Amino acid sequence: SRRYGLAAGRSYSGGGAYPSVSLTCPLPGVPKAVFAAAEGRERFETRVTVLENGLRVASQKKFGQFCTVGLLVNSGSRHEAKYLSGISHFLEKLAFSSTAQFSSKDEILLTLEKHGGICDCQASRDTIMYAVSADAKGLDTVVNLLADVALQPRLSDEEIEMTRMAIRFELEDLNMRPDPEPLLTEMIHAAAYRDNTVGLNRFCPVENTDKIDREVLHSYLRNYYTPDRMVLAGVGIEHEQLVECAKKHLLGAEPVWGSGQTKDVDRSVAQYTGGIVKVEKDMSDVSLGPTPIPELTHIMIGLESCSFLEEDFIPFAVLNMMMGGGGSFSAGGPGKGMFTRLYLNVLNRHHWMYNATSYHHSYEDTGLLCIHASADPKQVREMVEIITREFILMAGAVGEVELERAKTQLKSMLMMNLESRPVIFEDVGRQVLATNTRKLPHELCALIGQVKSTDIKRVVTKMLHKKPAVAALGDLTDLPTYEHIQAALSSKDGRLPRMYRLFR
């Protein structure tokens, strides 16, 4: 003991102190443990308050020291019909730059750093989202910053010029990227909704980069950055505290562009047109290196589904999960979707197919279900036949095991995604922006569980009556005509017309 100090004389517990007490019984003399428990479901409901100026404040409780707070604006590329295309792209890049209170982006980042915060801005076709994650104790600073960033941006000439350069670089990168999915998504929307709403380009065209200036941006902001088109959403904070901060910093706040009457707000509803967008492109050098990606032709075929406000949205979500798919090198097992139709029927049977993936894009007034496929340019005809056949087979029999697997996988994906605080924030903000309320995860899971095979068949039958939207990228020498693809989707087996096969 004297030689090795206290450690030598320490007695280690081996259960000898309580030799007669079972491992399943509490130890005598030890206080009873008190475990945390949910205080009823209502504790976790999303609370919504509408301020006098029309701004909606929504919050969701979540345990933890940090919170995610942000402003969502009902504004995006779909609202640019009366303006130069690319304004939303500019606003996304200009976000969190200098404002009335902050002289530079660095000052904003240093302010957030004091509360362990980070910031981000994302623009989509129908929403612009300014978000900050920080310590909940800094809520007042965060809301003040968000109000200043959204309503008081300086938009200096230097910042606008830097944004032009950043956008030009991003457009070049988009065309050189080995993964063509972002480009194909733009093309399929342009084909499905030609020259209207969600079919308008999400990225700023190169020819517009020099035309967009502070005056153009202010004109757009005056119409779309109004309180009635905004939601202040927060996760991980007390609702009353968020409402007080909103009243302090956003109620009666005067924007830098003035508070004149809005006159050019685009309220048009999406008009599905169908059609084809083709881009002939040499894809042989998209990935240089010791093991370059082989030259591929990419096809995306889509059909109109439904809005996320309609009851059919849930069956379409289950259908999309049932189709699944991925790349030929995707890793994983049953939990990663290897039993989905596009794996079983396409990738496992046709070794020359490099990709077959299902996507579902849904908006407030429309939706688009599409399948992206990639193969060697010489296999384009067979690839189109295989994909159109999969669309036709959607209307056929749906196995009970297959349906239950898709429903379980959809619930699992939903619940796992909602483990993340920023994802909860976006879900709260988007739902309240669109519907003034929020469906909770357990409600969505109940709706998913109610989907039957007859629901899948019903929505597919309705979908197949629409004209297809087609996007094609790469070597399109052997690509069937749009009329042939449309005829194949109208046939019983999804095959291209015989005349095309004989005389193509």
Side-chain angles (χ1 to χ4, degrees):
S1 240
R2 281 196 297 271
R3 183 176 179 185
Y4 297 107
L6 290 174
R10 185 180 297 155
S11 61
Y12 293 95
S13 173
Y18 301 99
S20 60
V21 179
S22 167
L23 291 175
T24 58
C25 297
L27 297 176
V30 177
K32 188 178 179 181
V34 178
F35 297 100
E39 299 177 14
R41 199 183 297 276
E42 65 278 357
R43 180 178 170 85
F44 301 98
E45 286 183 359
T46 302
R47 296 180 62 186
V48 181
T49 298
V50 183
L51 302 187
E52 291 90 330
N53 61 356
L55 177 81
R56 285 156 286 179
V57 182
S59 74
Q60 175 77 48
K61 284 190 176 182
K62 183 172 173 64
F63 176 78
Q65 180 184 349
F66 281 76
C67 65
T68 299
V69 182
L71 263 177
L72 291 93
V73 189
N74 184 13
S75 158
S77 58
R78 69 170 296 163
H79 300 105
E80 294 171 2
K82 299 176 183 178
Y83 291 89
L84 288 168
S85 178
I87 290 176
S88 298
H89 195 186
F90 258 77
L91 292 173
E92 179 186 45
K93 298 294 178 196
L94 285 163
F96 295 100
S97 297
S98 64
T99 68
Q101 290 183 45
F102 302 94
S103 61
S104 67
K105 189 164 195 167
D106 288 341
E107 190 177 340
I108 288 176
L109 295 176
L110 285 170
T111 303
L112 286 174
E113 195 176 292
K114 293 173 185 174
H115 301 284
I118 55 171
C119 60
D120 186 31
C121 178
Q122 293 180 9
S124 61
R125 297 183 190 281
D126 51 4
T127 311
I128 291 181
M129 181 173 65
Y130 300 85
V132 171
S133 286
D135 193 308
K137 292 176 184 175
L139 180 64
D140 187 73
T141 304
V142 167
V143 176
N144 174 43
L145 171 64
L146 286 166
D148 213 42
V149 164
L151 301 177
Q152 299 285 336
R154 284 187 183 173
L155 305 179
S156 68
D157 292 339
E158 183 183 355
E159 287 168 346
I160 290 174
E161 188 55 43
M162 289 292 289
T163 299
R164 288 182 181 131
M165 291 171 62
I167 287 175
R168 289 189 195 112
F169 175 80
E170 188 176 344
L171 293 174
E172 283 181 24
D173 178 64
L174 195 68
N175 286 309
M176 294 168 61
R177 201 179 296 176
D179 175 23
E181 198 269 323
L183 204 57
L184 281 165
T185 300
E186 287 303 301
M187 292 165 64
I188 198 76
H189 278 83
Y193 307 92
R194 191 168 293 276
D195 298 326
N196 77 90
T197 57
V198 293
L200 300 177
N201 202 331
R202 193 169 70 84
F203 298 103
C204 180
V206 177
E207 61 272 16
N208 285 358
T209 52
D210 289 325
K211 298 176 185 175
I212 295 175
D213 54 20
R214 188 190 299 110
E215 187 179 341
V216 172
L217 293 170
H218 276 188
S219 173
Y220 178 87
L221 291 165
R222 189 176 295 112
N223 285 303
Y224 289 101
Y225 275 46
T226 54
D228 57 301
R229 300 178 68 89
M230 293 182 179
V231 168
L232 177 67
V235 176
I237 36 82
E238 293 292 335
H239 184 71
E240 291 76 12
Q241 193 182 357
L242 186 61
V243 171
E244 284 306 311
C245 289
K247 287 179 178 178
K248 179 180 176 182
H249 300 293
L250 288 160
L251 189 60
E254 181 74 15
V256 70
W257 48 84
S259 55
Q261 287 292 317
T262 58
K263 55 183 179 180
D264 289 324
V265 176
D266 181 42
R267 303 187 190 281
S268 54
V269 177
Q271 303 295 316
Y272 181 83
T273 59
I276 186 168
V277 171
K278 298 187 289 185
V279 175
E280 289 268 3
K281 187 179 176 185
D282 180 11
M283 305 287 282
S284 59
D285 59 351
V286 292
S287 178
L288 300 174
T291 54
I293 294 173
E295 181 182 359
L296 300 174
T297 295
H298 302 272
I299 305 292
M300 195 176 269
I301 299 175
L303 292 165
E304 188 181 23
S305 58
C306 74
S307 142
F308 58 67
L309 298 177
E310 297 178 45
E311 289 182 1
D312 285 346
F313 172 68
I314 300 294
F316 269 116
V318 174
L319 172 65
N320 180 56
M321 189 60 69
M322 193 172 75
M323 298 307 295
S328 57
F329 300 108
S330 296
K336 295 288 180 70
M338 300 293 271
F339 282 120
T340 58
R341 284 195 179 185
L342 291 178
Y343 266 114
L344 294 175
N345 300 349
V346 178
L347 293 168
N348 288 354
R349 296 184 182 182
H350 306 284
H351 63 90
W352 45 269
M353 292 272 283
Y354 280 81
N355 193 349
T357 312
S358 176
Y359 297 96
H360 188 217
H361 307 280
S362 198
Y363 304 96
E364 199 171 340
D365 49 2
T366 187
L368 191 65
L369 183 81
C370 42
I371 296 176
H372 166 211
S374 308
D376 186 274
K378 295 174 184 177
Q379 307 279 3
V380 170
R381 184 186 65 79
E382 290 87 350
M383 176 168 64
V384 171
E385 272 199 3
I386 289 164
I387 297 307
T388 52
R389 192 179 305 134
E390 286 305 311
F391 272 108
I392 300 297
L393 290 173
M394 287 180 194
V398 178
E400 195 61 35
V401 173
E402 177 186 36
L403 181 62
E404 286 304 315
R405 181 184 287 123
K407 286 156 63 173
T408 303
Q409 196 172 346
L410 182 58
K411 290 178 192 176
S412 172
M413 187 183 73
L414 172 70
M415 299 308 291
M416 283 194 290
N417 285 341
L418 289 174
E419 288 287 316
S420 165
R421 190 182 60 250
V423 174
I424 299 173
F425 155 76
E426 187 172 348
D427 184 48
V428 169
R430 285 183 179 277
Q431 285 202 51
V432 173
L433 192 65
T435 67
N436 296 320
T437 186
R438 180 190 180 221
K439 275 193 172 74
L440 294 174
H442 71 272
E443 296 176 274
L444 291 170
C445 285
L447 292 171
I448 293 168
Q450 292 168 13
V451 174
K452 299 175 182 175
S453 57
T454 52
D455 296 320
I456 301 293
K457 189 167 185 176
R458 173 175 50 79
V459 297
V460 171
T461 302
K462 186 168 70 172
M463 180 178 69
L464 288 172
H465 283 100
K466 306 287 179 70
K467 290 172 63 179
V470 181
L473 177 69
D475 180 350
L476 308 179
T477 308
D478 289 343
L479 178 71
T481 64
Y482 177 75
E483 290 73 23
H484 283 119
I485 296 172
Q486 189 174 1
L489 280 167
S490 304
S491 67
K492 291 181 179 180
D493 58 2
R495 288 184 176 277
L496 292 167
R498 179 175 171 78
M499 291 296 286
Y500 172 77
R501 292 204 296 273
L502 292 175
F503 303 110
R504 67 182 177 88

